[in-house]
Amino acid sequence: SFHKSKGQHILKNPLLVDSIVQKSGIKSTDVILEIGPGTGNLTKKLLEAGKSVIAVELDPRMVLELQRRFQGTPLSNRLKVIQGDVLKCDLPYFDICVANIPYQISSPLTFKLLAHRPLFRAAVIMFQREFAMRLVAQPGDTLYCRLSVNTQLLARVSHLLKVGKNNFRPPPKVDSSVVRIEPRGPLTPVNFKEWDGLVRICFNRKNKTIGSIFRQKSVLNILEKNYRTLQALQFSEKAPSDDMEMALDVSTLGESFGDLSMDADDGNDDDDIEMDDGDTKRAEFKEKVLAVLKEGNFEEKRSSKLAQADFMHLLSLFNKAGIHFS
Ligand code: SAM
């Protein structure tokens, strides 16, 4: 009896398990982190390939079954099982993470791993196919979105393997893919909150031009509010230093990717609400924003085609003009 709510879909194809382990590039000296080991089909091969496995499993029944499976075998002293929610526990040191995870934790888990230090070599993870394709999407691809940009800011990602639903018991509703994620170090120096603030706005309507996105009243309002707040702070000399909050606070980058349909876009450019230019201060601010877009030649560009370096450039132009996204 498997728990659907815990995303329990057991890998039943031994050839596929072999293939995942082989493509992971595990070394005999590796400490391996496995998330959601379930009944241990993958765990067994990981134990044979690496030095040790630390497995985090939520379901106490699975923990018992796993311990029973390896009890009295030579593999058991190289396996450590932690019972708990991987999203809530402190992760131990590991060299590589290999896992067939419950899909509902895909996004928070990815960003939790990417915030983990010391850096690990790679994470090789089974995801729902569409989530996987979003992770690896490049500018111009249909699925290119905030998740692609934020993940690729922190990691190199590549698609390893397509996996059909019939490789699992019970079969999930969707196909899957195994993805390799290699954290980047050192990271690009950028304030992640600001970065994500910009990227969120740009991908809210990713097929519109940047020019029309930044003419939206709602967007201008937010930016102007930030601008005035910061000015007031600077006036009272209590301004927070401009130093990057490089500390590994990447938490916001992973928020709200649960709903894969979130950045659906009609691609329609006509429904913009233009702001009322009556207020001089507001009109001046709008001109300031548009001047930034002109300077970088961004007005006619679309987020769906912008690369990481373009977003970085746009953010630095905004910041230079005193315009901030957090
Ligand atoms: N790795 C096994 C396999 O491939 O056969 C099982 C994979 S199954 C898709 C996901 C496993 O993750 C289940 O055993 C489930 O109990 C466990 N799980 C679900 N949520 C979890 C969480 N938040 N933290 C740790 N494990 C979790």
Side-chain angles (χ1 to χ4, degrees), residues 5-12 34-43 56-59 62 84-87 99-105 168:
S5 62
K6 295 197 183 80
Q8 291 177 343
H9 299 280
I10 302 302
L11 273 173
K12 63 165 195 190
E34 187 186 1
I35 294 145
T39 55
N41 291 347
L42 180 58
T43 318
V56 184
E57 170 61 58
L58 180 63
D59 187 342
M62 290 290 185
D85 181 341
V86 67
L87 296 180
N100 169 24
I101 63 166
Y103 294 153
Q104 61 267 32
I105 66 169
F168 303 87

Side-chain angles (χ1 to χ4, degrees), residues 31-35 54 56 82 86-97 107-123 125 154-155 181-187 192 246-251 253:
V31 176
I32 306 168
L33 174 69
E34 187 186 1
I35 294 145
I54 304 168
V56 184
I82 299 174
V86 67
L87 296 180
K88 292 187 187 142
C89 71
D90 288 331
L91 297 178
Y93 173 91
F94 62 96
D95 298 298
I96 187 166
C97 171
S107 172
L109 176 67
T110 300
F111 287 93
K112 177 165 184 161
L113 289 173
L114 290 176
H116 179 74
R117 293 297 181 274
L119 280 180
F120 51 96
R121 197 164 75 245
I125 301 180
L154 306 175
I181 301 174
E182 290 173 32
R184 291 181 202 274
L187 291 176
F192 293 122
M246 271 304 293
L248 298 163
D249 184 12
V250 299
S251 50
L253 297 189

